[in-house]
Amino acid sequence: MSGVDKSQDGDDLSIHIKEKITISKKLISDNSNDSDNEGKSEIKKSITAQKCNKKPVNIGIDSFQINAARELFQLTTSSRIPTQFRGTPSIKPQQQQQQSQTQLQSRSQSQKVDARTNNDAVINKDLKIKKQVDEQLQTRIPNIQVPAKSHKGKCKNPQCEHCGIVIIPSPSASYPISETPSISINNWEIYSNRNPILSSNEIEILEDELEFPVPEMIFGNNKIEVVYKVEDENTGDGGITGEEEKFRIVFNASDALRQVENHETIDPKKLLKVSYANEWLSTRKEKHQNTEDVVLDIYKPFDWTYSSEYKGTVKTGKFIRDDSKEIPLNKLRDTNEPILFFDDMVLYEDELADNGISSLSVKVRVMKNCLLILQKLFIRVDNVLLRVFDTRVYIDFEELVIIREFKKMEINYDDILKIVKREQGSSADPRSFLRDINWCSSKMPVISLEREYMELS
């Protein structure tokens, strides 16, 4: 090859290298600053190699490397942009900040104008919201007071400092024994009165009213009472004018005996008889068959078992019959809710002239969100039958719902003896089981069931 050809080849090579450098610089400018130094070093190395070898070398950048560089550049730049400005890359951050400040200023100005024009409406709305919040807080965190708000006289039953339950009986004894423990939870007031049996004068007055002899033991001054009151608000100036009573129920012995059938309401043919009644009557007839002055008919008959269908005395409020309303047992079984108030008392009791027993008792259990009143009338006529009248009143302090359930249970005496023998064995003493009211109730069939409810708004 001649000298002219060699010089021409050198010129072509230098031109070729310059074109490659120009193209690579243009590509590098599209990439990030972080990859700039690395790309330049690679180009310098390729140019040095070409000068040493003096042969044309392909120094082009791979398309995969270009895409990777572009993706890295986009990630780097996007990470520097604040989150609220992403999605609008065409607007600069300074412009976005100015726009946001302008929007905030315009909003604040419009709110100030609206607040000035609608100031009364806003205040009324805030007051309503505050009242709703206060009611919710009052429901969630009840206001508990011992003794109750409307308690009259001195209360000797304090609240335990450790568990919070009202101490019954009171730590300090007194004579005669008389206790009036009470507790308030929000607008609910629960009272319990425990007193001795009635005096002879009180019994005489009550028997004259009832027209039949009262049970042997009658605690006529014992009672359990539940009251619900709300504050009355004057619609004019909003001041409180007083309290309005929405609900009141009382359980006592006198009202229970008033529902026992007397000579005016009972059918003598339907009276329960003791096991030896027919034998006794036949012997008396034989003895006095020739005597005209002896009368063997019952004089002023009454229900001598004192079977009262008493469900409590409702003084304020009205129940609605609905047998589908069930008492929520899950709330009553919640062991996380401590018992704040509990009392158990006997209203009356009679041994039925040594032919069994008739006993009416009532107990109350109060938690911070609900209460349950359980009244049981247990009647056992030996060798005749067993009977239980079960009354339950459930009150939900949060939902302001009251549910009352009345259940009748009855079983023949021989049938309950068979259950004792089958479950406990022939060697078991049936009398010990027949004295257990809870055990007998669990074995007796239900004759009738009634449910009622009341909603307090």
Side-chain angles (χ1 to χ4, degrees), residues 77-261:
T77 54
S78 62
S79 64
R80 295 172 181 172
I81 300 175
T83 307
Q84 63 270 23
F85 297 114
R86 292 180 188 177
T88 57
S90 59
I91 302 176
K92 295 182 180 180
Q94 295 180 353
Q95 296 177 355
Q96 292 178 346
Q97 186 176 3
Q98 293 176 356
Q99 290 181 0
S100 62
Q101 290 178 355
T102 305
Q103 292 175 358
L104 289 174
Q105 291 176 358
S106 61
R107 289 178 184 176
S108 62
Q109 290 177 357
S110 61
Q111 289 177 357
K112 289 180 180 179
V113 173
D114 295 338
R116 290 174 182 174
T117 55
N118 303 322
N119 190 22
D120 295 337
V122 172
I123 292 174
N124 293 333
K125 185 177 180 181
D126 292 341
L127 290 174
K128 290 181 180 179
I129 294 173
K130 185 180 181 298
K131 186 177 180 181
Q132 292 176 358
V133 171
D134 292 340
E135 290 177 354
Q136 292 177 358
L137 289 175
Q138 187 180 17
T139 303
R140 295 177 183 176
I141 306 175
N143 182 18
I144 301 172
Q145 295 185 20
V146 177
K149 298 177 182 178
S150 304
H151 186 95
K152 296 180 180 179
K154 186 178 180 181
C155 181
K156 300 180 295 182
N157 303 87
Q159 192 175 12
C160 179
E161 296 179 357
H162 301 282
C163 62
I165 190 172
V166 177
I167 300 175
I168 302 173
S170 63
S172 58
S174 62
Y175 185 83
I177 299 173
S178 178
E179 292 188 350
T180 57
S182 62
I183 187 173
S184 289
I185 299 180
N186 294 336
N187 295 328
W188 294 91
E189 300 177 12
I190 300 95
Y191 299 91
S192 173
N193 286 11
R194 300 165 62 90
N195 297 277
I197 60 174
L198 294 182
S199 63
S200 57
N201 293 332
E202 292 172 329
I203 290 175
E204 185 178 353
I205 294 172
L206 185 59
E207 286 182 344
D208 291 341
E209 177 189 350
L210 298 175
E211 297 184 350
F212 61 80
V214 298
E216 296 171 343
M217 290 190 301
I218 175 170
F219 299 88
N221 295 319
N222 284 6
K223 71 174 182 177
I224 288 178
E225 187 174 12
V226 179
V227 185
Y228 177 70
K229 298 178 181 179
V230 295
E231 294 179 348
D232 253 344
E233 293 186 359
N234 189 350
T235 56
D237 55 357
I240 298 175
T241 59
E243 289 183 337
E244 180 184 1
E245 185 175 288
K246 293 287 188 178
F247 176 75
R248 181 187 290 267
I249 189 169
V250 183
F251 288 84
N252 59 64
S254 302
D255 290 339
L257 290 173
R258 289 186 180 97
Q259 295 194 14
V260 174
E261 291 184 307

Side-chain angles (χ1 to χ4, degrees), residues 158-386:
Q159 192 175 12
C160 179
E161 296 179 357
H162 301 282
C163 62
I165 190 172
V166 177
I167 300 175
I168 302 173
S170 63
S172 58
S174 62
Y175 185 83
I177 299 173
S178 178
E179 292 188 350
T180 57
S182 62
I183 187 173
S184 289
I185 299 180
N186 294 336
N187 295 328
W188 294 91
E189 300 177 12
I190 300 95
Y191 299 91
S192 173
N193 286 11
R194 300 165 62 90
N195 297 277
I197 60 174
L198 294 182
S199 63
S200 57
N201 293 332
E202 292 172 329
I203 290 175
E204 185 178 353
I205 294 172
L206 185 59
E207 286 182 344
D208 291 341
E209 177 189 350
L210 298 175
E211 297 184 350
F212 61 80
V214 298
E216 296 171 343
M217 290 190 301
I218 175 170
F219 299 88
N221 295 319
N222 284 6
K223 71 174 182 177
I224 288 178
E225 187 174 12
V226 179
V227 185
Y228 177 70
K229 298 178 181 179
V230 295
E231 294 179 348
D232 253 344
E233 293 186 359
N234 189 350
T235 56
D237 55 357
I240 298 175
T241 59
E243 289 183 337
E244 180 184 1
E245 185 175 288
K246 293 287 188 178
F247 176 75
R248 181 187 290 267
I249 189 169
V250 183
F251 288 84
N252 59 64
S254 302
D255 290 339
L257 290 173
R258 289 186 180 97
Q259 295 194 14
V260 174
E261 291 184 307
N262 57 14
H263 65 93
E264 296 179 354
T265 57
I266 197 169
D267 185 1
K269 295 180 180 180
K270 295 181 179 180
L271 275 174
L272 279 176
K273 298 178 181 180
V274 296
S275 59
Y276 52 86
N278 294 328
E279 182 182 356
W280 180 89
L281 186 61
S282 63
T283 57
R284 294 300 184 277
K285 286 182 178 180
E286 291 177 0
K287 182 178 179 180
H288 302 285
Q289 61 182 351
N290 297 324
T291 305
E292 297 180 356
D293 296 337
V294 177
V295 179
L296 297 178
D297 293 335
I298 301 174
Y299 176 72
K300 285 190 175 183
F302 72 99
D303 187 356
W304 60 281
T305 63
Y306 301 104
S307 298
S308 173
E309 297 184 5
Y310 180 61
K311 298 181 286 186
T313 306
V314 180
K315 295 187 175 182
T316 307
K318 186 178 181 180
F319 280 100
I320 301 173
R321 177 73 179 270
D322 188 355
D323 294 338
S324 64
K325 293 285 186 180
E326 296 184 2
I327 295 176
L329 299 178
N330 56 340
K331 280 193 172 183
L332 298 174
R333 293 171 180 169
D334 189 3
T335 57
N336 295 324
E337 294 295 337
I339 297 175
L340 302 176
F341 186 94
F342 176 82
D343 204 356
D344 185 2
M345 64 183 66
V346 176
L347 298 181
Y348 64 75
E349 186 174 315
D350 192 281
E351 293 184 354
L352 305 179
D354 294 333
N355 290 287
I357 191 171
S358 176
S359 175
L360 179 65
S361 61
V362 60
K363 62 179 68 176
V364 59
R365 185 178 70 179
V366 182
M367 287 78 72
K368 69 176 184 179
N369 56 357
C370 63
L371 72 79
L372 177 68
I373 298 175
L374 174 59
Q375 176 189 265
K376 277 193 177 182
L377 173 64
F378 178 69
I379 298 172
R380 186 190 76 246
V381 182
D382 294 336
N383 301 314
V384 180
L385 59 75
L386 274 79

Side-chain angles (χ1 to χ4, degrees), residues 3-16:
V4 178
D5 296 333
K6 291 180 180 180
S7 62
Q8 188 175 1
D9 292 339
D11 295 336
D12 294 336
L13 178 61
S14 63
I15 293 171
H16 181 71

Side-chain angles (χ1 to χ4, degrees), residues 408-425:
K408 290 183 180 181
M409 294 171 282
E410 189 173 307
I411 190 171
N412 291 330
Y413 195 85
D414 294 335
D415 294 338
I416 196 71
L417 289 180
K418 291 177 183 178
I419 295 175
V420 174
K421 185 176 180 179
R422 183 176 65 249
E423 294 185 358
Q424 307 298 331

